[in-house]
Amino acid sequence: MRILSTITIALICSLLSFSCKEQPKTTEKADVFAQADSIIKNIQIPQFPDKEFNIMDFGALADGKTDNTQAFIKAIAECSNSGGGKVIVPAGAFLTGPIHLKSNVNLHLNEGATVLFSTDQKAYLPMVHTSYEGVELMNYSPLIYAYKQKNIAITGKGTFDGQADNENWWPWCGNNKYGHLEGTPQQRDDHNLPALRKMNEERTPVAERIFGEGHQLRPTFLEPFECENVLIQGVTFTNAPFWVIHPIKSNSVTVNGVTVRSHGPNNDGCDPEYSKNVHIVNCTFDTGDDCIAIKSGRNNDGRRVNIPSENIVVENCMMKDGHGGVVMGSEISAGVRNVFVRNCSMDSPNLDRAIRIKTNTLRGGFVENVFVRNIKVGQVKEAVLRINTYYGIYANQEGDFSPSIKNIHLEDIEVENGGEYGVLIKGRRENPVKNVTFTNVHIKNAKTPLSVENSEPIQFTNSSINRTAY
């Protein structure tokens, strides 16, 4: 009897243990986006004293011609030195050079205000510590820049116009579509990107990576560099020289209700890099490159810095034109994890992909724990999900750093026109893509439903491509 009791108890314990082990599977989905909510809750929105500093009181003129650089400098300095507050840009057109934000300053554009950035490239000197395509360097100042500042904001209903076009900044990309003339300097000349790439490979100290005047590497538009508690809200960005919103090495960043309408070369909408706890919400992206691209450094620079981008939530956004809706890479050598995308709309004949991961064996890095839910896709050109571990625009993109991609989950997604492929995955034989799941995903009108290489089988649940269940 005693033996029977022991067996019975062991069986009951075994069943209880099995039940406990199975239980997380039934709650996992609910818990996933609770984690996103927790990330948002813990992001600090900067608060400011109720004090205003109008740039007109510091000598600014709203004629679109007068250089108001000093008025911005003085107003921001006075605001910061007085303990913080709001620097007001009233309605009108204000020309300026670069704007450098200070701690506890909210740069606020009233409705009808337009900040026009100078087309004199020397205005963006002296050089500052910045980054170009995932590599740190000393270069022209970003148009709006904050370095090691805390509690900063850019708010309002006005517009920042970078005034980049086929005569200013864009020709340096080297493409005649953007005004480049054969024989004139461009970024692929030996003293530009090739020199920077070599410095990256040789681990040259950042202070010795001197570019700026005499070089052709375009500045970013807005760059909080090593900043904490950043708010960008309500404003519009247009005509960017290069990447538009680039939080780098920053923590606790909110991008809310922003419109990016900029179709120049490399005009990514928002590129968090080496950054964590980022909330991108209620925004519209209509861009010349990726709408949102999450990055973490290029090659040796990313491995040197070794700060993954993590805890990033994208929700209630609209993606129009762009190379990708939400993208991870290609500058991704320090890795990306814990990305949550929900309640977004992606629709344009000029939107190439919805969700995209791009890397190669020079970049390496990892992407893990990506959760995408409740997305409406009108149409994309190439694919709904595109994972490419052979990404490369230039030659020689093979190296010794095999990327790791795993835990990519898409759920509750409706696609009207899936483009060339429903799903396009090119993994690596030595390290295949792992644990990709589709739940309640329905893709219509894809020319080729699936093209999958070197990946674990996609786990389909209640999903279809071209009305065929998978």
Side-chain angles (χ1 to χ4, degrees):
M1 186 71 178
R2 187 173 297 170
I3 294 173
L4 180 61
S5 297
T6 302
I7 294 171
T8 304
I9 291 168
L11 179 60
I12 292 170
C13 288
S14 177
L15 289 170
L16 286 173
S17 175
F18 176 79
S19 176
C20 290
K21 288 178 182 177
E22 290 298 305
Q23 185 65 24
K25 291 184 180 179
T26 64
T27 60
E28 185 177 357
K29 289 183 181 178
D31 291 342
V32 162
F33 278 89
Q35 184 181 347
D37 294 333
S38 179
I39 291 168
I40 295 167
K41 183 178 178 180
N42 290 323
I43 292 174
Q44 294 189 39
I45 304 295
Q47 304 295 318
F48 303 92
D50 188 17
K51 294 185 290 186
E52 294 187 353
F53 302 81
N54 192 312
I55 62 169
M56 301 292 280
D57 296 333
F58 295 85
L61 294 175
D63 58 8
K65 299 178 181 179
T66 300
D67 183 354
N68 293 296
T69 303
Q70 289 303 312
F72 277 98
I73 290 172
K74 291 174 183 177
I76 290 169
E78 182 70 18
C79 179
S80 183
N81 293 339
S82 299
K86 186 182 291 185
V87 171
I88 300 293
V89 181
F94 296 89
L95 179 68
T96 185
I99 296 172
H100 288 192
L101 290 179
K102 301 291 186 182
S103 294
N104 302 313
V105 172
N106 175 6
L107 178 63
H108 183 83
L109 273 59
N110 284 350
E111 188 170 6
T114 300
V115 176
L116 300 165
F117 286 91
S118 175
T119 58
D120 178 6
Q121 289 149 1
K122 291 183 179 181
Y124 301 88
L125 299 171
M127 294 176 294
V128 300
H129 184 173
T130 181
S131 177
Y132 195 88
E133 289 186 348
V135 182
E136 293 180 67
L137 77 168
M138 304 302 295
N139 195 26
Y140 291 105
S141 171
L143 279 57
I144 307 171
Y145 182 64
Y147 187 67
K148 296 185 177 181
Q149 303 299 308
K150 185 174 182 179
N151 209 53
I152 58 174
I154 295 170
T155 64
K157 297 183 178 179
T159 297
F160 292 103
D161 186 343
Q163 296 206 101
D165 56 23
N166 283 16
E167 296 181 356
N168 178 43
W169 298 121
W170 290 355
W172 288 359
C173 78
N175 189 332
N176 59 11
K177 174 183 176 181
Y178 297 108
H180 179 257
L181 300 176
E182 188 173 354
T184 60
Q186 51 113 335
Q187 66 180 13
R188 288 193 293 274
D189 291 342
D190 288 344
H191 65 294
N192 291 319
L193 277 179
L196 183 61
R197 300 281 183 262
K198 184 177 181 182
M199 291 174 180
N200 185 4
E201 292 170 8
E202 296 177 351
R203 297 178 171 84
T204 302
V206 174
E208 298 175 17
R209 303 176 187 181
I210 305 298
F211 287 81
E213 189 171 14
H215 297 265
Q216 287 73 41
L217 299 181
R218 292 160 285 151
T220 55
F221 204 138
L222 166 59
E223 187 170 273
F225 197 124
E226 288 189 42
C227 291
E228 189 171 354
N229 303 344
V230 178
L231 173 64
I232 307 159
Q233 181 172 284
V235 294
T236 295
F237 295 91
T238 190
N239 301 323
F242 187 61
W243 294 353
V244 181
I245 302 172
H246 182 216
I248 178 170
K249 297 182 181 178
S250 292
N251 179 30
S252 198
V253 178
T254 301
V255 183
N256 187 355
V258 166
T259 298
V260 176
R261 191 176 296 110
S262 195
H263 284 259
N266 311 104
N267 276 197
D268 295 6
C270 185
D271 290 11
E273 184 166 22
Y274 305 128
S275 291
K276 63 182 180 180
N277 303 318
V278 179
H279 187 202
I280 304 170
V281 59
N282 302 325
C283 295
T284 298
F285 296 99
D286 186 1
T287 64
D289 209 307
D290 294 324
C291 294
I292 295 172
I294 303 165
K295 300 177 180 290
S296 61
R298 183 185 182 108
N299 304 357
N300 284 345
D301 235 36
R303 292 182 277 273
R304 170 184 65 83
V305 175
N306 195 28
I307 301 174
S309 286
E310 60 186 345
N311 300 343
I312 297 171
V313 181
V314 179
E315 59 182 345
N316 302 325
C317 291
M318 177 178 291
M319 288 76 171
K320 296 184 177 180
D321 289 7
H323 291 182
V326 177
V327 177
M328 285 134 273
S330 66
E331 296 84 6
I332 201 167
S333 300
V336 169
R337 62 186 168 218
N338 305 338
V339 176
F340 303 85
V341 184
R342 63 183 172 188
N343 306 330
C344 292
S345 172
M346 304 181 185
D347 185 15
S348 172
N350 298 312
L351 180 63
D352 291 344
R353 307 124 186 133
I355 306 297
R356 184 186 192 192
I357 298 170
K358 50 182 177 176
T359 183
N360 55 46
T361 56
L362 280 179
R363 305 283 193 280
F366 64 86
V367 178
E368 62 186 28
N369 307 335
V370 178
F371 303 91
V372 183
R373 176 186 287 175
N374 193 22
I375 306 298
K376 300 292 184 184
V377 179
Q379 64 182 109
V380 290
K381 280 185 180 180
E382 186 189 49
V384 176
L385 173 65
R386 170 67 154 127
I387 298 175
N388 184 10
T389 63
Y390 291 84
Y391 177 81
I393 297 175
Y394 308 115
N396 187 28
Q397 297 295 297
E398 293 295 305
D400 300 322
F401 301 92
S402 181
S404 171
I405 300 172
K406 63 183 180 181
N407 307 336
I408 314 298
H409 305 288
L410 279 67
E411 180 180 4
D412 297 337
I413 296 175
E414 297 290 334
V415 182
E416 288 300 320
N417 292 286
E420 293 293 324
Y421 301 89
V423 180
L424 180 57
I425 297 177
K426 293 187 68 174
R428 294 273 175 168
R429 181 176 298 176
E430 68 274 15
N431 194 5
V433 175
K434 298 179 178 66
N435 193 22
V436 177
T437 70
F438 278 41
T439 304
N440 300 325
V441 175
H442 301 284
I443 301 170
K444 300 175 185 176
N445 300 313
K447 290 183 180 178
T448 300
L450 293 171
S451 178
V452 178
E453 300 175 14
N454 298 316
S455 171
E456 291 182 350
I458 299 171
Q459 301 172 47
F460 290 98
T461 303
N462 189 32
S463 295
S464 65
I465 303 177
N466 295 346
R467 303 186 188 277
T468 298
Y470 280 84

